[in-house]
Amino acid sequence: MDRIPVYFEKYANFNRIGEPCNIALPLPKGRLREVKGIVIRNEAGEAFPTQSIVTALWEDGSVKWAYIDFICDLPENKDITYYICFDGKEEKAEEIPCEISDDGLRIEAGGEVFSFGRELDFYLNGKRAVVEGKWQAVRTGAVASVFKAYGSHGGFMDFEITVQAYRGCPWVKADYRLINREKEDFTEFESLCLKIPNTGEDRFTIGTSNCLTKYTEGENISKKIDAEYLMYDANEHFAESFYGTFFGDCSEKGRGTAATVYQVYQNFSAEICIDNREMNIKILTAEDKPLKFFRGMAKTSTVFIHKHRGISKEEVNLRSLMFQMPDRGILPYRVYEKPGCFPDIFLKKEERIREVETSLTHKFDSRGRAYGFIHWGDNIDWHYTSQGRGLGRAVWVNNEYDFGHAAFVYYVKTGLRRVLDGMLVSVRHQMDTDIVHCSDDPLRLDGQVTHSADHVSGKVEISHEWVEGLLDYYHLTADKEALDTALRMGDNIIRHLEQPRYKQKGGVNARETGWALRSLCALYSETNDERWLAPCDGIVEHLRHGKRNMACGLLPIRITR
């Protein structure tokens, strides 16, 4: 089987040795039955640590999508190509050491120990997070291990925490997700913070960067990123890929702990405070005006915790920068074409229309962006707003027409990193904010809200529920929450279709059921589960009825099992 190149652009001005990377690989039907033999090699044929899982299968049981974690060396100021090979022999490599007990989770990574007990160091409105039940291993291996736990803040506001560790790397990534299942219409947030006990008194540092990192040092220091700060902070980067970094670091006799908040400028307001008692990473600080967090919303914040020995603040900064904008490998255009997983977007090189691609890229780059803890990843629709649909409030797009999927398809065509990064931000927002995670109404539960004020004030209608971007996100990240979200949304669509108005021929327009048809077919393609096709037959029959009796000019539709 031929090797597949993975290209890394010239990126950082320093060597990254033992850098964790990943890639999502689509495969043609029948080509591969298991992923155990996948290995990453360099040009000389040297193998690097590799760990693969299957995220989707073809109907014949062969691999459709593989997610590959690997460790590689990336040079300073140079591009490099690695290769996905299929000739590897299964080796019993030692897994990342970890232990799950009644007391919590213990991970050894890069010579350091990270412990997460039943009581976590996250606080919401001053209430400490408490894990309910035991930690769970999502996946473990020699390259990457992922763990998850659930709980609340003393009975207030549910959370999910996902911790990921990498081979040979003295840091972990923690995704902390709040889910509002409270009874009230909304809850006001004043603060969400991570408090790390401070045992070091040698060096206290806060680093902030845009184009150049500036350091604040002293005995009792703090730094805040809020709306006023951003008003006077020019940014020339693509914000989904990089805006800046924001980290705190405490060191004592050459050993220290640093914490970085991911995309903090985009998810403002935030603050870091360090004194001789603790390093307080305020992921959200809304002391002047509490933030309204509506029932059914979720929000994920990501923090990197880095334990280090004998390195300077400049080296801490470099790792913090890499957390903000990690290396990403690029697959060749034709690798996406062969499997048949995408629409017919693939042209011969001489057939590409540069004017069209330039126009599409401009549309992507010039689209609106909204910043803030709730809004990042979405955009205000000024036409809907001016029409008064928000009753005086801004109307949010809420990922209308599956921007995430459109962006991913365009990334497949172009390989533009900023398009991929924009897609990841958009779909993360969709998973959290645009979907109703808690409702007493079964027709709202797990449904996607239409464009509306406050993101969640609108209706749930099958004309505005799409899952393809969620499925793309799952393949790209192996985050099963994206797949589960898509499946739950599919169940919501079916509940709607079971209502009397959808049983009556001519009772709804083709646009409404057409989007449902697209989402259900996507779920069938993803899972090969025929239950997604049963409602499709009814939709198609209604469309055929409309073509015969209502003079609707519809294109022919064929669903094959």
Side-chain angles (χ1 to χ4, degrees):
M1 187 176 289
D2 296 336
R3 63 182 189 175
I4 297 174
V6 181
Y7 175 69
F8 288 88
E9 298 174 290
K10 183 176 77 170
Y11 172 39
N13 64 351
F14 58 94
N15 291 320
R16 284 87 72 213
I17 306 301
E19 192 71 19
C21 299
N22 57 70
I23 196 79
L25 176 67
L27 290 160
K29 186 193 300 183
R31 185 174 185 184
L32 200 67
R33 291 286 168 180
E34 56 182 20
V35 295
K36 292 180 181 178
I38 294 178
V39 64
I40 300 295
R41 298 184 185 276
N42 60 14
E43 186 65 56
E46 179 186 3
F48 285 74
T50 310
Q51 176 183 327
S52 304
I53 63 170
V54 177
T55 58
L57 295 171
W58 291 100
E59 63 270 21
D60 66 352
S62 59
V63 179
K64 187 175 185 179
W65 280 93
Y67 177 82
I68 307 168
D69 278 307
F70 58 99
I71 302 293
C72 63
D73 299 336
L74 300 169
E76 61 177 299
N77 290 323
K78 291 182 181 178
D79 59 359
I80 190 171
T81 300
Y82 280 87
Y83 297 89
I84 303 172
C85 302
F86 303 88
D87 58 351
K89 296 180 180 179
E90 186 177 3
E91 299 179 2
K92 291 186 177 180
E94 183 179 346
E95 292 189 354
I96 296 171
C98 66
E99 180 184 354
I100 296 176
S101 67
D102 291 338
D103 296 327
L105 170 67
R106 184 180 186 274
I107 306 171
E108 294 182 30
E112 301 291 345
V113 175
F114 297 85
S115 296
F116 299 86
R118 297 295 300 275
E119 289 189 334
L120 303 177
D121 291 326
F122 288 89
Y123 295 79
L124 178 65
N125 286 1
K127 298 180 180 181
R128 191 171 189 175
V130 180
V131 172
E132 297 169 2
K134 293 181 68 171
W135 281 81
Q136 304 170 14
V138 176
R139 66 178 189 272
T140 58
V143 175
S145 291
V146 182
F147 307 89
K148 197 162 189 173
Y150 304 85
S152 68
H153 306 82
F156 168 68
M157 197 64 60
D158 293 344
F159 73 83
E160 301 171 358
I161 181 170
T162 304
V163 174
Q164 183 158 349
Y166 304 92
R167 173 179 175 144
C169 300
W171 59 79
V172 294
K173 180 181 81 167
D175 292 321
Y176 196 77
R177 191 185 199 207
L178 298 171
I179 306 173
N180 189 353
R181 298 189 178 101
E182 304 298 301
K183 294 180 179 180
E184 296 78 13
D185 290 340
F186 63 86
T187 300
E188 291 190 335
F189 284 175
E190 296 178 356
S191 66
L192 170 64
C193 61
L194 169 63
K195 296 183 179 182
I196 300 175
N198 188 5
T199 58
E201 298 183 1
D202 186 30
R203 185 182 77 203
F204 296 170
T205 307
I206 297 174
T208 56
S209 75
N210 185 323
C211 294
L212 179 68
T213 301
K214 299 177 181 179
Y215 302 101
T216 301
E217 298 181 275
E219 295 182 357
N220 193 332
I221 55 177
S222 65
K223 193 73 176 178
K224 189 173 184 179
I225 306 295
D226 57 13
E228 183 178 1
Y229 179 98
L230 293 174
M231 284 291 291
Y232 301 99
D233 184 62
N235 175 46
E236 298 176 357
H237 306 294
F238 291 100
E240 291 86 357
S241 293
F242 182 75
Y243 189 121
T245 194
F246 190 49
F247 71 87
D249 177 47
C250 299
S251 296
E252 174 70 17
K253 296 180 180 179
R255 299 193 61 164
T257 300
T260 298
V261 184
Y262 181 62
Q263 294 193 341
V264 67
Y265 295 82
Q266 298 90 322
N267 288 281
F268 75 91
S269 298
E271 186 176 14
I272 295 178
C273 303
I274 306 176
D275 58 27
N276 58 11
R277 295 181 299 107
E278 64 185 17
M279 179 163 59
N280 191 347
I281 309 295
K282 298 181 181 180
I283 301 166
L284 169 69
T285 175
E287 297 168 355
D288 298 332
K289 184 179 180 181
L291 181 72
K292 285 186 177 180
F293 195 61
F294 289 86
R295 188 176 191 233
M297 275 186 176
K299 173 61 184 179
T300 302
S301 301
T302 300
V303 181
F304 299 93
I305 303 171
H306 174 201
K307 294 187 177 183
H308 55 83
R309 304 186 190 190
I311 65 176
S312 65
K313 65 177 183 290
E314 288 79 13
E315 291 172 293
V316 173
N317 174 58
L318 291 180
R319 176 46 51 191
S320 182
L321 290 169
M322 292 301 301
F323 288 148
Q324 295 290 348
M325 189 177 174
D327 288 283
R328 293 197 190 281
I330 302 171
L331 293 174
Y333 179 74
R334 298 300 173 189
V335 172
Y336 293 106
E337 179 184 20
K338 281 186 178 181
C341 301
F342 292 92
D344 187 15
I345 59 172
F346 302 95
L347 303 172
K348 294 179 181 178
K349 193 171 185 179
E350 60 273 13
E351 295 175 342
R352 296 177 69 176
I353 307 172
R354 296 295 180 183
E355 293 82 357
V356 172
E357 293 189 5
T358 299
S359 176
L360 290 173
T361 302
H362 174 71
K363 288 180 183 298
F364 176 86
D365 289 340
S366 61
R367 76 191 192 284
R369 293 168 175 82
Y371 293 80
F373 189 78
I374 298 296
H375 308 311
W376 172 238
D378 203 353
N379 180 32
I380 295 174
D381 191 306
W382 294 110
H383 295 290
Y384 289 155
T385 300
S386 64
Q387 290 168 8
R389 297 192 187 197
L391 301 178
R393 294 170 294 171
V395 175
W396 298 95
V397 174
N398 280 15
N399 210 47
E400 189 171 28
Y401 302 127
D402 207 344
F403 170 79
H405 180 59
F408 185 51
V409 171
Y410 194 56
Y411 167 73
V412 165
K413 274 186 65 66
T414 63
L416 293 173
R417 172 178 180 145
R418 63 184 184 273
V419 175
L420 175 62
D421 291 339
M423 173 266 179
L424 294 172
V425 168
S426 172
V427 179
R428 181 72 260 179
H429 172 89
Q430 178 191 8
M431 288 171 61
D432 283 344
T433 308
D434 298 341
I435 292 169
V436 182
H437 299 277
C438 174
S439 178
D440 300 325
D441 180 357
L443 296 181
R444 284 186 66 82
L445 181 63
D446 297 321
Q448 180 160 338
V449 181
T450 62
H451 39 79
S452 58
D454 300 317
H455 303 280
V456 295
S457 64
K459 299 178 181 179
V460 170
E461 296 180 347
I462 59 174
S463 60
H464 287 70
E465 297 195 86
W466 24 77
V467 302
E468 290 170 282
L470 291 165
L471 299 175
D472 296 333
Y473 187 95
Y474 171 54
H475 299 143
L476 286 166
T477 65
D479 183 353
K480 194 169 180 293
E481 181 60 34
L483 173 62
D484 292 342
T485 300
L487 295 174
R488 291 194 297 267
M489 192 189 299
D491 288 331
N492 176 276
I493 291 172
I494 290 176
R495 290 196 293 271
H496 276 269
L497 290 173
E498 290 171 347
Q499 300 303 301
R501 66 185 291 250
Y502 292 104
K503 301 292 185 183
Q504 183 179 4
K505 292 179 180 179
V508 294
N509 62 53
R511 171 180 179 267
E512 193 164 1
T513 52
W515 272 111
L517 180 66
R518 179 163 184 152
S519 290
L520 293 172
C521 288
L523 289 170
Y524 171 71
S525 177
E526 178 73 16
T527 65
N528 305 305
D529 188 342
E530 296 248 346
R531 80 183 183 93
W532 301 114
L533 288 187
C536 295
D537 292 333
I539 294 174
V540 172
E541 180 54 38
H542 283 200
L543 294 176
R544 286 173 175 157
H545 176 269
K547 183 178 182 181
R548 289 193 302 264
N549 302 310
M550 300 179 184
C552 297
L554 297 171
L555 294 173
I557 296 174
R558 184 176 73 177
I559 300 175
T560 58
R561 288 175 167 78

